[in-house]
Amino acid sequence: MASDNANFLVVEDSPTMRQLISFSLKRFKNARILEAVDGVDALKKLSGPDKIDLILTDINMPVMDGLKLVSLVRQNAQLKNIPIIIITTEGAEEDRERGLALGANAYISKPIQSSHLIKTISELLTV
Amino acid sequence: MTEERAEKFLELFNKGKEFTEELLRENQRLRYRLAMLETESAAGSNDEIQRLRDEVQQLTEENRRIAQRFKEVEEENKDFANRYIEVEEQNNNLANLYVASYQLHSTLDFREVIQIVQEIVINLIGAESFAILLLDEKTNELKTIASEGEDVMPGIESISTRLGDGVLGSVAKTGESYYINQDLEDGGKVTLDKPLAAVPLKIKEHVIGLVVIYKLLQQKDSFSAVDYELFSLLAAHAATAIFSSKLYSQSERKLNTIQSFLDLLTTTS
């Protein structure tokens, strides 16, 4: 699978959600999962030595939210091609549309269905 | 001279006669041989046809058997595919349950535990509007200690009901979960006292509170069969986590009081 051996960055302020998403990502063979608690932490991880293959980010986070993160990643020459999935909640269609307009490749809604998450990632990493 | 010629002619005639007779015999022999060969040939081809017919029948039978086996294997494949999906789903649920219980028992801070319960109810159960109620054993009253989606169901932030009163009080008293019946004549209208679901937070048979759901997230139409099971299991974990964190904070408070008292004693003496 194209998504095997991939490095994922999970950006989420809630430890429970972070762990849930990371747990789902362990389905990918040899997946390496990096976690960040907000946008600023994510940018630090992105500028580190690990090449990130896909970013999963929540929208509402303290310090720097997911939309700002998407925007900054897309403006960065080195990072702009990394696929981004935004995690949205119901009733946040505006955030979802803004996220996609800023350059996110896909979105998933809470409560996250592991099978849906895996399918979305597989599709993005196969393209 | 004429006699000599007649003899020669006669001799020639006899030779011709013998030759003709010999030819007739040979002809007869060959016809007999031909007839024999024709009979043999006819018998041979009949055997071959029969052999081929048998072979065709065998192959047809084998073909039918293979087709039947193919059909069986197809069915088995479908079963395996369905089973795989079920196992995957089960696996997801177990993973969710594992993460949720791990998180619930990762801290002894009461507020943090409540925060985790809220996250679980939103992200695993898929609730948009809900309240967590705790039972005050001194007053036998259930009171909201945390809520989400107050705009959807105003008043959930300050629910206060007595043990045994209404749906919420009954759930707390009996320890039996409540799920609304949407087939009722009022269409299962959700009110403050008649929620979508009320699950007791209980440690064995001891109810310490409730998780009350008023509205699910838009993308979640209704509770699925596995939700009921998951909800009850999570509620059990949440109950022990809430109870132990509450006990811990109480013991911490008592410890601080005792420490202060000891400090006071040592200072005054």
Side-chain angles (χ1 to χ4, degrees), chain B residues 56-68:
Chain B
V56 166
Q57 204 176 345
Q58 276 174 11
L59 289 170
T60 310
E61 181 60 25
E62 202 174 329
N63 194 18
R64 196 193 57 76
R65 273 205 315 271
I66 289 170
Q68 177 66 26

Coordinates of all heavy atoms in Angstrom, one line a residue, chain B residues 56-68:
Chain B
V56 N -16.7 -37.3 -22.6 CA -17.5 -36.0 -22.6 C -18.3 -36.0 -21.4 O -18.4 -35.0 -20.7 CB -18.3 -35.9 -23.9 CG1 -19.4 -34.8 -23.8 CG2 -17.4 -35.6 -25.1
Q57 N -18.9 -37.1 -21.1 CA -19.8 -37.2 -19.9 C -19.0 -36.9 -18.6 O -19.5 -36.2 -17.8 CB -20.5 -38.6 -19.8 CG -21.8 -38.5 -19.1 CD -22.5 -39.9 -19.1 OE1 -22.1 -40.7 -19.9 NE2 -23.4 -40.0 -18.2
Q58 N -17.9 -37.6 -18.6 CA -17.0 -37.4 -17.4 C -16.6 -35.9 -17.2 O -16.7 -35.3 -16.2 CB -15.7 -38.2 -17.5 CG -15.9 -39.6 -17.0 CD -14.7 -40.5 -17.3 OE1 -13.6 -39.9 -17.6 NE2 -14.8 -41.8 -17.2
L59 N -16.2 -35.3 -18.4 CA -15.8 -33.9 -18.4 C -17.0 -33.0 -18.0 O -16.8 -32.0 -17.2 CB -15.2 -33.5 -19.7 CG -13.8 -34.1 -20.0 CD1 -13.4 -33.8 -21.5 CD2 -12.8 -33.5 -19.1
T60 N -18.1 -33.3 -18.5 CA -19.3 -32.5 -18.2 C -19.6 -32.6 -16.7 O -19.9 -31.6 -16.0 CB -20.6 -33.0 -18.9 OG1 -20.2 -33.1 -20.3 CG2 -21.7 -32.1 -18.8
E61 N -19.5 -33.8 -16.2 CA -19.7 -34.0 -14.7 C -18.7 -33.2 -13.9 O -19.0 -32.5 -12.9 CB -19.6 -35.5 -14.4 CG -19.9 -35.9 -13.0 CD -21.2 -35.5 -12.5 OE1 -22.2 -35.4 -13.3 OE2 -21.3 -35.3 -11.3
E62 N -17.4 -33.3 -14.3 CA -16.4 -32.6 -13.6 C -16.6 -31.1 -13.7 O -16.4 -30.4 -12.7 CB -15.0 -32.9 -14.3 CG -13.9 -32.7 -13.4 CD -12.6 -33.2 -13.9 OE1 -12.6 -34.2 -14.7 OE2 -11.5 -32.6 -13.6
N63 N -17.0 -30.6 -14.9 CA -17.3 -29.2 -15.1 C -18.4 -28.8 -14.1 O -18.3 -27.7 -13.5 CB -17.8 -29.0 -16.5 CG -17.8 -27.6 -16.9 OD1 -17.2 -26.7 -16.2 ND2 -18.5 -27.2 -18.0
R64 N -19.4 -29.6 -14.0 CA -20.6 -29.3 -13.1 C -20.1 -29.2 -11.6 O -20.4 -28.3 -10.9 CB -21.6 -30.3 -13.3 CG -23.0 -30.0 -12.7 CD -23.9 -31.2 -12.6 NE -23.3 -32.2 -11.8 CZ -23.3 -32.2 -10.5 NH1 -23.7 -31.2 -9.8 NH2 -22.7 -33.2 -9.8
R65 N -19.2 -30.2 -11.3 CA -18.7 -30.2 -10.0 C -17.8 -29.0 -9.7 O -17.9 -28.3 -8.6 CB -17.8 -31.5 -9.7 CG -18.6 -32.7 -9.3 CD -17.7 -33.7 -8.5 NE -16.4 -33.9 -9.2 CZ -16.2 -34.8 -10.1 NH1 -17.1 -35.6 -10.5 NH2 -15.0 -35.0 -10.6
I66 N -17.0 -28.6 -10.7 CA -16.1 -27.4 -10.5 C -17.0 -26.1 -10.4 O -16.7 -25.3 -9.5 CB -15.1 -27.3 -11.7 CG1 -14.1 -28.4 -11.5 CG2 -14.4 -25.9 -11.7 CD1 -13.2 -28.6 -12.7
A67 N -18.0 -26.0 -11.2 CA -18.9 -24.9 -11.2 C -19.6 -24.8 -9.8 O -19.7 -23.7 -9.2 CB -20.0 -25.0 -12.3
Q68 N -20.0 -26.0 -9.3 CA -20.6 -26.0 -8.0 C -19.7 -25.5 -6.9 O -20.0 -24.7 -6.0 CB -21.1 -27.4 -7.7 CG -21.7 -27.7 -6.4 CD -23.0 -27.0 -6.2 OE1 -23.7 -26.6 -7.1 NE2 -23.3 -26.6 -4.9

